[in-house]
Amino acid sequence: MSSSPLSKKRRLSGTETKTGSHCSSSNSVRTDLSHTPANGMAKNGNDAEIDEGLYSRQLYVLGHDAMKRMQNSNVLISGMRGLGVEIAKNVILGGVRSVTVHDQGVAEWRDLSSQFYLREEDLGKNRAEVSQPRLAELNNYVPVTAYTGALNEDYLTKFQVVVLTNSTLDEQQQVGELCHGKGIKLIIADTRGLFGQLFCDFGEEMIVYDTNGEQPLSAMISMITKQGVVTCLDEARHGFESGDYVTFTEIQGMTELNGCQPVEIKVLGKTCLFSSKHQVFVCLGVTLQIYTSCSFFQVHTPSASLHVGFQAIHAFQKKHNNLPAPWSYTPITCLDFSKNVWPTQILLFTCSLLFQACTGKFMPIMQWLYFDALECLAEEEGVTLTKEECAPRNCRYDGQIAVFGTKLQDMLAKQRYFLVGAGAIGCELLKNFAMIGLASGEGEVIVTDMDTIEKSNLNRQFLFRPSDVTKMKSDTAAAAVKQMNPSIRITGHQNRVGPDTERIYDDDFFESLDGVANALDNVDARMYMDRRCVYYRKPLLESGTLGTKGNVQVVIPFLTESYSSSQDPPEKSIPICTLKNFPNAIEHTLQWARDEFEGLFKQPPENRTLKLPGAQPMEVLEAVYKSLITDCPHSWADCVAWARNHWQCQYSNNIRQLLHNFPPDQLTSSGAPFWSGPKRCPHPLEFSTSNELHMDYIMAAANLFAQTYSLPCSTDRAAVVKILQEVKVPVFTPRSGVKIHVSDQELQNSNSSVELKTRLPSSESFQFKLNPIDFEKDDDTNFHMDFIVAASNLRAENYDIPPTDRHKSKLIAGKIIPAIATTTAAVVGLVCLELIKIVQGHKKLESYKNGFMNLALPFFAFSEPIAAPRHKVGTCFCVSPFVLLFGLSAGSFLFCVACRMTEIVTKVSKKKLGKHVKALVFELCCNDLSDEDVEVPYVRYTIR
């Protein structure tokens, strides 16, 4: 449960990741700079090595170039209250060159409601100095220093980015003018109760290198006319948009197009038009979309009323040297601003902007952004909090009490919540739970996660430290938040949620809960928890991230639809015949390599333990027979010999057989070249011990093969070369009559079973142990990724497909979910706003908000949840078999098989039903309604 995929991609509308890659809708041509900015931010970063083990998930979002630019950035963050420390945390995790935290104030009670690195014993101490050592633990690569002096010109010029929080208007204007004149990027962020403000000034020479963060599109070309009309293959939509810029590769006939300067296109359905005339197109080609850089300087007018409100707060503070008291209705607080530092609403935009300032990656906001969450207040009209209810109590929740009063604080303390997952989202949720005082009284937070901490987790799961690697996530996270708020009552479990643990998470457990929060990394587990919450009528807080994208969904019993009410379309799969014989993209060869890994090192040992029936798919039987009889090794040398022969089979013999069946000049029945369009004509490889890629494959394959048989392994390449010189590789001659399927339909129509006629030896005759190997992508010493990369790139070489590096191979083959701490923190902030509404008992659908974001664009949207479906059902007084079984009267339990009436009208005690009957789940499908129909929500009812 270490990562958090986007759970409802379809709801992101135009910002979602399409099949393949998403294309830009607003690319513009790069503007050359007249000179380099004084702070050097337009240049690439230094050539320092990036720790891919730590930053792997973030690298898949930002890329290496942006990471290097960020590693060149010294950042100043002024103001170490809740908002400032949240920004500092995410920036340090991101991996900038250095961070300086600045504050001239001391810790107060109200700070403890959001500043998670302040403790009660720190009251009266400087906030920056107290926070510095705790922030420094987040990332050993980022030095963190504290500064308590004045922000003068000499000091500010040391930084490339300056962030102001909790600052006065005079300070903002003074620092803003200085930074603008010196080419220093400036971000100003502030929160006032349920309102947030954000401003950025990146100067007039800001360059955006990548407007949306998506991978460029590519498409196979079938024809280009002399008029410049490019026709793509019809097997899938190309995804290009008018205004995109493209270039071409592998064009035959119009060779001058290969590697040409970017050409703007206009889309005509599935074709693109460019204004050039060339000779007739001959055969295969690929069109690639490219992104062009653009200079960025734009001013956006903010929301007028909120802008005036913040200005009024500054004016009042300057005049009275203090803020207005919470809920004191004076002209200056007509917008109901109250002093509460709740960072999780606006921090998302702040940290994202800082990364954009450092890297030139993604589109910044147009200078101003305002945010409010007024729907978190009481729903009832006329209900108003008083100054007395919101007055300070000299407790750690004073900042929150100033907004919501003491009643909500008491309710939060009694909540019993189940958090499923302690990964990136789980860590952020636990931190916020501790800050708001959830389960700080009679309640409890139960967090479960069966995973252990890995190095790659440390970049975004901020509760963990390097010394925690290999420890259980749930226990470590629980201990960490206890340090933040000793009052929180929290229990860590190490269980996977599912049918196997329903004896633990049973009726009594769920009925005792006030709600559930998901922090999961897969849809199946999400849907399971959704079903459990619907079954027990418990609120569910659902969220997910995918790189810069994120979403939040709130599920309220009887009010909103459930998570499972809508589902994403299934992922597009690669045709089997494409994988086996006709790959044309690196994604195909990587999937083929993953299948090779499973088929060689996992499935044969697993299938050996199965009871094989008389008929099995041919490939399964062949693999089992080889693993037990023909390929069974007895030494390390046998493993090397097996790897060499398997290399010969896959990258030479099979390709030669394919070309024997379909020669390079083969024509189809229509007279068109067989090897055209998506079918690349392959060529066999010749093995050489001097070829590094060939040896990479032999070393990885031999070691993995030895591991499956519990034989000794070796990393001595020189010794392996000597063994290879003694290996005899059989001469291969292509055979006639071998059937190779050219489509999945042919494969399905063929006979895919074979009768097992060879008698397998009994297990008693074996003196070795077969060990199935589970693929693990993040261990660089286990040869798993070594095999995948080598196998994939060798097959790519067979088909003249450009190879890819280990980093991208791990992303695709490992199905890694790109992630950054900024998106995670933002999503969790929105989740906690919905939690506040649930605890208050909001009943109106419009009070709740589902949130969707893409920080790269930037795009933020909120919508009302879809209402729960409602169905009309009637009453029926027929005697049911259930009634007869349990001896109940017809009037107390209404269920009719004859008319399929499926509603329980009267509660029935569990004692009468029997202990083995806990609940009945019914489908509302009655067509023969009585004359007294009633409307009820479509839910599952528990019999009490």
Side-chain angles (χ1 to χ4, degrees):
M1 302 179 187
S2 60
S3 59
S4 311
L6 187 67
S7 58
K8 292 286 180 181
K9 290 183 285 187
R10 69 174 184 83
R11 293 175 178 256
L12 287 181
S13 185
T15 65
E16 68 191 276
T17 302
K18 299 179 183 177
T19 302
S21 302
H22 186 65
C23 58
S24 169
S25 60
S26 57
N27 292 325
S28 57
V29 180
R30 176 177 180 175
T31 302
D32 292 330
L33 299 180
S34 58
H35 64 280
T36 302
N39 62 8
M41 287 300 294
K43 299 178 180 179
N44 285 342
N46 55 34
D47 294 329
E49 185 177 349
I50 297 172
D51 188 342
E52 292 189 1
L54 176 65
Y55 294 116
S56 63
R57 274 50 173 181
Q58 179 174 299
L59 277 168
Y60 294 126
V61 181
L62 300 179
H64 282 78
D65 290 341
M67 274 292 297
K68 289 179 179 179
R69 287 194 291 269
M70 193 158 67
Q71 285 182 337
N72 241 5
S73 303
N74 300 301
V75 180
L76 171 69
I77 301 173
S78 176
M80 279 296 106
R81 285 194 159 121
L83 178 57
V85 76
E86 183 69 44
I87 297 169
K89 179 256 291 182
N90 290 337
V91 171
I92 293 167
L93 291 173
V96 296
R97 171 177 283 181
S98 71
V99 170
T100 299
V101 293
H102 168 259
D103 204 312
Q104 294 181 297
V106 298
E108 306 171 11
W109 277 113
R110 62 177 178 172
D111 297 327
L112 271 63
S113 63
S114 59
Q115 221 284 26
F116 45 87
Y117 284 147
L118 293 181
R119 301 166 186 170
E120 292 188 14
E121 58 267 28
D122 299 326
L123 294 174
K125 299 178 183 178
N126 180 272
R127 289 185 288 256
E129 293 178 338
V130 171
S131 303
Q132 181 271 329
R134 295 161 189 168
L135 286 167
E137 295 177 350
L138 290 169
N139 192 339
N140 293 332
Y141 290 107
V142 181
V144 181
T145 57
Y147 177 66
T148 59
L151 298 180
N152 53 44
E153 180 175 350
D154 292 339
Y155 189 76
L156 289 176
T157 52
K158 301 177 182 179
F159 303 97
Q160 283 75 49
V161 183
V162 172
V163 181
L164 297 182
T165 71
N166 192 39
S167 54
T168 65
L169 182 59
D170 290 342
E171 184 179 23
Q172 294 172 6
Q173 293 173 339
Q174 178 184 354
V175 173
E177 291 179 4
L178 191 154
C179 289
H180 190 80
K182 297 291 183 179
I184 301 170
K185 275 65 176 176
L186 174 67
I187 300 172
I188 299 173
D190 203 359
T191 57
R192 305 285 180 175
L194 294 171
F195 299 87
Q197 176 195 48
L198 180 60
F199 171 82
C200 68
D201 178 5
F202 293 166
E204 299 182 17
E205 297 171 334
M206 173 66 181
I207 292 179
V208 177
Y209 294 93
D210 181 354
T211 57
N212 63 10
E214 303 291 352
Q215 292 295 317
L217 292 169
S218 65
M220 300 293 294
I221 297 172
S222 62
M223 178 59 66
I224 303 179
T225 69
K226 291 183 178 181
Q227 290 72 33
V229 176
V230 181
T231 304
C232 299
L233 290 175
D234 293 334
E235 59 184 26
R237 295 192 64 85
H238 51 64
F240 294 108
E241 297 178 5
S242 294
D244 286 345
Y245 285 79
V246 302
T247 188
F248 301 88
T249 62
E250 303 181 52
I251 298 292
Q252 300 177 25
M254 293 182 177
T255 54
E256 68 273 23
L257 289 179
N258 292 326
C260 68
Q261 291 297 315
V263 178
E264 186 175 1
I265 60 170
K266 179 181 180 181
V267 173
L268 304 174
K270 288 190 176 183
T271 63
C272 304
L273 177 69
F274 65 97
S275 56
S276 296
K277 295 183 179 181
H278 301 278
Q279 62 195 69
V280 178
F281 170 77
V282 175
C283 193
L284 181 67
V286 179
T287 178
L288 298 173
Q289 181 191 28
I290 70 166
Y291 293 121
T292 52
S293 304
C294 62
S295 59
F296 173 83
F297 181 71
Q298 222 165 345
V299 178
H300 179 65
T301 305
S303 172
S305 58
L306 292 182
H307 189 71
V308 170
F310 272 89
Q311 298 296 311
I313 289 289
H314 284 301
F316 185 96
Q317 187 174 14
K318 182 177 181 179
K319 180 178 180 179
H320 299 281
N321 198 30
N322 201 353
L323 289 165
W327 297 95
S328 59
Y329 290 92
T330 63
I332 200 67
T333 58
C334 60
L335 292 175
D336 291 346
F337 281 91
S338 50
K339 182 58 181 176
N340 169 43
V341 185
W342 186 309
T344 49
Q345 290 84 296
I346 203 69
L347 70 91
L348 114 87
F349 316 115
T350 308
C351 297
S352 175
L353 278 174
L354 195 146
F355 289 156
Q356 292 161 357
C358 295
T359 65
K361 184 97 172 175
F362 314 138
M363 289 296 292
I365 65 165
M366 305 305 178
Q367 295 211 289
W368 287 102
L369 175 71
Y370 284 86
F371 179 91
D372 75 84
L374 288 175
E375 67 275 0
C376 290
L377 297 175
E379 284 183 315
E380 298 81 4
E381 295 183 6
V383 176
T384 305
L385 293 172
T386 64
K387 290 177 58 176
E388 291 72 22
E389 291 177 285
C390 301
R393 265 68 172 172
N394 287 336
C395 72
R396 68 177 304 117
Y397 309 113
D398 275 357
Q400 188 164 279
I401 290 173
V403 176
F404 297 109
T406 56
K407 182 178 179 182
L408 175 63
Q409 200 59 54
D410 294 339
M411 296 169 67
L412 285 168
K414 299 176 182 178
Q415 294 294 300
R416 180 177 168 85
Y417 256 76
F418 186 31
L419 173 59
V420 188
I425 287 182
C427 284
E428 292 288 343
L429 279 170
L430 288 175
K431 176 257 293 179
N432 283 7
F433 288 172
M435 292 297 96
I436 67 177
L438 190 76
S440 58
E442 301 173 4
E444 184 182 16
V445 173
I446 303 96
V447 55
T448 186
D449 197 311
M450 71 287 184
D451 285 347
T452 57
I453 300 166
E454 302 173 357
K455 181 181 179 180
S456 62
N457 301 147
L458 304 179
N459 173 241
R460 63 200 183 282
Q461 300 174 22
F462 82 106
L463 295 180
F464 307 140
R465 302 291 176 267
S467 59
D468 296 325
V469 172
T470 73
K471 295 180 181 178
M472 299 304 300
K473 286 186 177 181
S474 56
D475 290 341
T476 307
V481 295
K482 285 285 286 185
Q483 292 288 322
M484 296 177 177
N485 184 355
S487 299
I488 187 173
R489 297 180 60 188
I490 183 169
T491 304
H493 291 181
Q494 292 80 45
N495 304 314
R496 183 192 301 273
V497 293
D500 295 342
T501 56
E502 288 183 3
R503 58 183 177 81
I504 301 171
Y505 307 120
D506 55 10
D507 291 354
D508 293 336
F509 175 82
F510 270 95
E511 288 174 358
S512 69
L513 296 176
D514 293 294
V516 175
N518 275 350
L520 291 160
D521 63 356
N522 66 89
V523 173
D524 289 341
R526 284 178 161 99
M527 294 183 69
Y528 173 80
M529 287 308 301
D530 176 66
R531 291 194 298 269
R532 299 291 277 175
C533 289
V534 170
Y535 188 88
Y536 291 102
R537 295 172 291 175
K538 299 299 178 183
L540 173 65
L541 293 165
E542 171 58 53
S543 58
T545 68
L546 180 65
T548 59
K549 307 179 185 75
N551 79 310
V552 176
Q553 181 179 1
V554 57
V555 179
I556 307 297
F558 306 102
L559 187 64
T560 73
E561 71 168 6
S562 68
Y563 172 82
S564 303
S565 297
S566 59
Q567 299 181 25
D568 295 333
E571 293 185 9
K572 185 179 179 181
S573 59
I574 304 172
I576 297 175
C577 285
T578 298
L579 292 176
K580 290 174 68 68
N581 298 309
F582 308 112
N584 57 65
I586 197 66
E587 288 80 6
H588 300 162
T589 65
L590 282 166
Q591 182 60 56
W592 178 88
R594 269 304 307 271
D595 294 344
E596 271 278 283
F597 184 97
E598 299 291 323
L600 293 173
F601 311 121
K602 182 178 181 182
Q603 292 172 0
E606 287 182 338
N607 292 335
R608 171 63 185 90
T609 63
L610 300 176
K611 294 181 179 179
L612 295 176
Q616 283 283 333
M618 180 183 297
E619 292 180 357
V620 174
L621 289 179
E622 288 180 348
V624 173
Y625 184 75
K626 286 181 179 180
S627 68
L628 299 180
I629 308 297
T630 59
D631 293 343
C632 179
H634 301 282
S635 65
W636 167 245
D638 289 345
C639 296
V640 174
W642 171 87
R644 172 66 183 89
N645 280 285
H646 193 72
W647 187 102
Q648 189 70 22
C649 177
Q650 295 294 63
Y651 304 109
S652 180
N653 299 349
N654 288 351
I655 300 300
R656 292 169 64 189
Q657 181 66 56
L658 181 62
L659 292 174
H660 175 77
N661 284 43
F662 306 106
D665 56 356
Q666 176 91 9
L667 299 178
T668 65
S669 57
S670 63
F674 177 85
W675 295 105
S676 63
K679 291 186 176 67
R680 291 172 174 264
C681 186
H683 65 273
L685 304 182
E686 294 295 330
F687 182 82
S688 172
T689 55
S690 61
N691 188 305
E692 287 293 319
L693 184 59
H694 296 186
M695 288 301 298
D696 287 344
Y697 180 90
I698 297 297
M699 295 299 299
N703 275 278
L704 290 170
F705 197 62
Q707 291 174 28
T708 61
Y709 289 89
S710 302
L711 293 173
C713 300
S714 174
T715 57
D716 188 343
R717 285 204 173 204
V720 169
V721 170
K722 291 182 179 180
I723 296 173
L724 288 171
Q725 291 171 351
E726 303 298 324
V727 175
K728 294 182 179 179
V729 179
V731 177
F732 176 78
T733 302
R735 295 171 295 165
S736 300
V738 175
K739 177 65 175 177
I740 295 179
H741 303 290
V742 297
S743 69
D744 283 8
Q745 187 62 45
E746 280 190 14
L747 185 63
Q748 292 174 3
N749 295 336
S750 67
N751 182 12
S752 60
S753 296
V754 65
E755 197 74 17
L756 181 62
K757 297 180 179 180
T758 303
R759 178 178 176 83
L760 295 179
S762 63
S763 58
E764 289 79 6
S765 65
F766 285 81
Q767 300 300 317
F768 58 85
K769 178 183 178 182
L770 282 170
N771 304 307
I773 299 177
D774 292 317
F775 178 69
E776 171 50 55
K777 58 187 175 295
D778 287 321
D779 184 350
D780 290 333
T781 65
N782 61 10
F783 292 101
H784 295 193
M785 280 307 304
D786 298 81
F787 178 85
I788 296 295
V789 174
S792 172
N793 284 340
L794 284 168
R795 189 162 176 81
E797 186 178 348
N798 276 138
Y799 287 86
D800 294 315
I801 298 170
T804 192
D805 59 16
R806 185 186 186 94
H807 181 67
K808 184 176 180 180
S809 298
K810 183 186 292 188
L811 171 68
I812 298 172
K815 298 181 179 179
I816 290 177
I817 301 164
I820 52 175
T822 299
T823 311
T824 304
V827 162
V828 170
L830 299 176
V831 169
C832 289
L833 291 179
E834 301 308 307
L835 173 63
I836 291 292
K837 303 171 190 176
I838 292 172
V839 174
Q840 290 183 96
H842 285 192
K843 302 297 184 184
K844 298 178 181 178
L845 186 67
E846 59 268 23
S847 296
Y848 294 96
K849 295 290 184 290
N850 289 343
F852 315 95
M853 66 186 72
N854 186 340
L855 305 186
L857 295 179
F859 169 81
F860 320 106
F862 301 91
S863 66
E864 291 181 11
I866 298 175
R870 304 178 74 86
H871 299 261
K872 285 189 175 184
V873 300
T875 56
C876 179
F877 294 92
C878 302
V879 177
S880 131
F882 284 95
V883 174
L884 299 177
L885 177 62
F886 296 108
L888 306 176
S889 64
S892 61
F893 184 66
L894 306 178
F895 179 86
C896 179
V897 175
C899 69
R900 298 191 299 172
M901 176 56 222
T902 55
E903 170 66 321
I904 302 168
V905 176
T906 305
K907 292 182 179 179
V908 181
S909 69
K910 289 182 180 178
K911 184 177 180 181
K912 288 185 179 180
L913 283 177
K915 293 182 179 179
H916 65 288
V917 179
K918 296 294 185 182
L920 297 176
V921 180
F922 297 118
E923 178 187 3
L924 303 180
C925 58
C926 181
N927 295 319
D928 184 17
L929 302 178
S930 68
D931 53 0
E932 293 184 1
D933 296 339
V934 294
E935 262 196 14
V936 297
Y938 180 33
V939 295
R940 296 169 172 86
Y941 291 88
T942 302
I943 302 173
R944 300 187 180 277

